[in-house]
Amino acid sequence: MKYYGGIEAGGTKFVCAVSDENFEIVAETSIPTTTPEETLEHVFAFFDQYELVAMGVGSFGPIGIDPTKDTYGYVLATPKKGWAQYDFLGNLKEHYPGLPFAWTTDVNAAAYGEIKQGAAQGKNSCVYLTVGTGIGGGVVVNGEIFSGISHPEMGHIHVKRHPDDTFVGTCPYHNDCLEGLAAGPSLEGRTGIKGQDLPENHPIWDIQAYYIAQALMSYTLILAPEIIILGGGVMNQDHLLLKIRQQFVDQMNGYMETPEASEYIVRWGLPNKSGITGCLLLAADAAAKV
Ligand code: ADP
Ligand code: ZN
């Protein structure tokens, strides 16, 4: 039996899993993200118990993904203490010499998980967007994760302000980019109440839907993916999904023909597992390439 390792490396926690070759998870653990050294010590203690044939890593970013650059495998400009310019992949490879690795962003891994085994199964392309502590997106085109000079940063696009919204925004780089106006912390920033505790009839949800729908319209106009999948804690509000679909249709105003909104804009098919599933699938791809 072959075993694959997967690490969904988030800014809050690392989800580590080992699966068999049918992607059945045989062991899983969650490790709080502290310093790189301490976090990796726990990561190694977990994976050292298994004989792996490959490992897939989906990391919070931004990360270096260009193999021709010195920064390949690094976590780049993150405000997360100790992680900026940290050679994450290099340290993993040093501990597991010779092991094939796949290396991408957490959201790319989630997009890959969703197209292979989740809500985008059978499609050739998809966009995956998470709306949680931050906003980030990944793209699969022709069955492969899309990248260019770097990975996409779909959370930091600009959006038109809602006429009733005067909130300054939470993004440390841009204030009122999409992430600054619509990630989880913006809900609490405007109201003093955490997203999970806000009532369904609060007017903030219309503002929230207005921004997310604008972003989905931009992704649609630029990429025309076959399906858009929404993940992340904020999307646990079922009524929000309905509002986003309605706003999307209103804002598109018939310009571009898209599938029925209920089939085009959907929740994740692998709740809380899109990312780690993608990591394990990517590990299998890395093993197959050797
Ligand atoms: P992370 O992005 O850190 O991986 P999550 O996807 O769970 O984690 O996102 C956490 C954010 O989502 C927090 O800002 C939290 O307040 C918000 N959140 C969590 N659950 C809900 C909910 N049911 N409704 C609205 N917001 C929520
Ligand atoms: Zn930003």
Side-chain angles (χ1 to χ4, degrees):
M1 183 62 85
K2 287 185 198 160
Y3 291 105
Y4 302 125
I7 306 177
E8 187 190 4
T12 318
K13 64 176 193 294
F14 274 39
V15 176
C16 301
V18 173
S19 81
D20 64 20
E21 55 202 335
N22 301 317
F23 306 105
E24 292 296 331
I25 292 178
V26 297
E28 189 171 0
T29 190
S30 175
I31 296 162
T33 312
T34 57
T35 62
E37 294 72 23
E38 188 181 41
T39 312
L40 286 202
E41 205 176 294
H42 293 295
V43 167
F44 295 146
F46 173 72
F47 286 113
D48 284 355
Q49 305 172 79
Y50 303 92
E51 197 123 329
L52 303 177
V53 296
M55 198 180 287
V57 186
S59 175
F60 70 103
I63 59 172
I65 59 156
D66 181 346
T68 66
K69 291 211 177 113
D70 292 345
T71 50
Y72 179 74
Y74 280 61
V75 180
L76 302 175
T78 175
K80 185 99 196 140
K81 213 166 164 246
W83 288 88
Q85 309 308 327
Y86 177 68
D87 185 7
F88 185 7
L89 183 61
N91 276 277
L92 291 172
K93 284 185 166 169
E94 194 178 290
H95 193 83
Y96 298 111
L99 188 68
F101 273 89
W103 167 250
T104 191
T105 62
D106 46 3
V107 277
N108 274 340
Y112 199 65
E114 286 290 335
I115 206 161
K116 292 277 183 186
Q117 296 197 349
Q121 257 182 95
K123 312 276 190 212
N124 274 313
S125 58
C126 74
V127 162
Y128 175 90
L129 192 78
T130 181
V131 187
T133 306
I135 296 184
V139 182
V140 175
V141 178
N142 292 330
E144 302 234 347
I145 290 171
F146 171 79
S147 64
I149 52 162
S150 181
H151 52 82
E153 282 287 353
M154 304 175 79
H156 294 268
I157 62 168
H158 282 112
V159 283
K160 186 163 72 181
R161 253 189 195 272
H162 189 283
D164 298 337
D165 187 22
T166 54
F167 183 58
V168 61
T170 60
C171 175
Y173 291 89
H174 318 111
N175 290 327
D176 60 355
C177 63
L178 174 68
E179 177 172 297
L181 290 175
S186 76
L187 298 169
E188 193 178 355
R190 282 192 193 88
T191 62
I193 304 167
K194 282 195 194 317
Q196 52 270 48
D197 301 324
L198 279 164
E200 199 177 314
N201 62 1
H202 198 289
I204 200 168
W205 296 117
D206 289 326
I207 295 177
Q208 180 73 6
Y210 181 77
Y211 292 133
I212 305 283
Q214 274 189 65
L216 302 191
M217 183 166 133
S218 295
Y219 307 147
T220 299
L221 294 169
I222 294 167
L223 297 164
E226 284 165 69
I227 192 166
I228 297 177
I229 297 156
L230 297 175
V234 176
M235 290 310 306
N236 286 326
Q237 303 278 343
D238 290 339
H239 60 98
L240 179 60
L241 181 63
L242 302 180
K243 287 191 173 78
I244 290 170
R245 286 178 181 150
Q246 189 57 53
Q247 277 288 338
F248 177 86
V249 171
D250 291 351
Q251 291 176 23
M252 191 63 98
N253 199 22
Y255 178 67
M256 191 171 163
E257 199 180 320
T258 54
E260 209 41 57
S262 60
E263 284 166 30
Y264 184 58
I265 301 168
V266 301
R267 278 290 269 149
W268 46 17
L270 305 165
N272 294 312
K273 293 264 182 248
S274 325
I276 193 66
T277 303
C279 292
L280 294 164
L281 291 160
L282 287 166
D285 293 352
K289 274 188 204 144
V290 179

